Amino acid sequence: ENVAQITPRFDGTVGEILVKLGETVKAGQPLLRVVPRTIGNPDVVLKSPLDGAVTAVKVTLGQAFSPDSVLMVVGDYSKVLA
């Protein structure tokens, strides 16, 4: 139930993918470095909002994205209801 979709709030391109599918991450850990399309804006590092594992990587290096794109998914499956 504890899942976060990593989405940007701007248009841009993927500059660097810092984690791999299945990798365990901590809250605040950098996941992606992205380059906003607006000229003069610095690169932005998108971080994990929770402890968990990277369950989906939906982008490739250099890929363009928009604000409605889901770039990655991080999930915490340490507690599951059965």
Side-chain angles (χ1 to χ4, degrees):
E1 293 182 13
N2 202 8
V3 176
Q5 294 184 339
I6 310 304
T7 59
R9 296 183 185 205
F10 51 85
D11 291 318
T13 56
V14 177
E16 186 176 6
I17 300 171
L18 303 170
V19 294
K20 296 179 182 175
L21 181 63
E23 187 173 334
T24 301
V25 295
K26 296 285 186 189
Q29 180 176 339
L31 303 173
L32 294 163
R33 185 181 56 79
V34 296
V35 181
R37 283 205 184 138
T38 307
I39 296 174
N41 281 355
D43 292 359
V44 175
V45 176
L46 300 178
K47 298 178 181 181
S48 177
L50 52 89
D51 292 345
V54 178
T55 59
V57 178
K58 299 184 175 194
V59 291
T60 58
L61 190 60
Q63 180 177 334
F65 58 81
S66 61
D68 61 345
S69 303
V70 175
L71 308 182
M72 277 189 179
V73 178
V74 175
D76 176 10
Y77 298 105
S78 60
K79 295 179 186 175
V80 199
L81 297 175

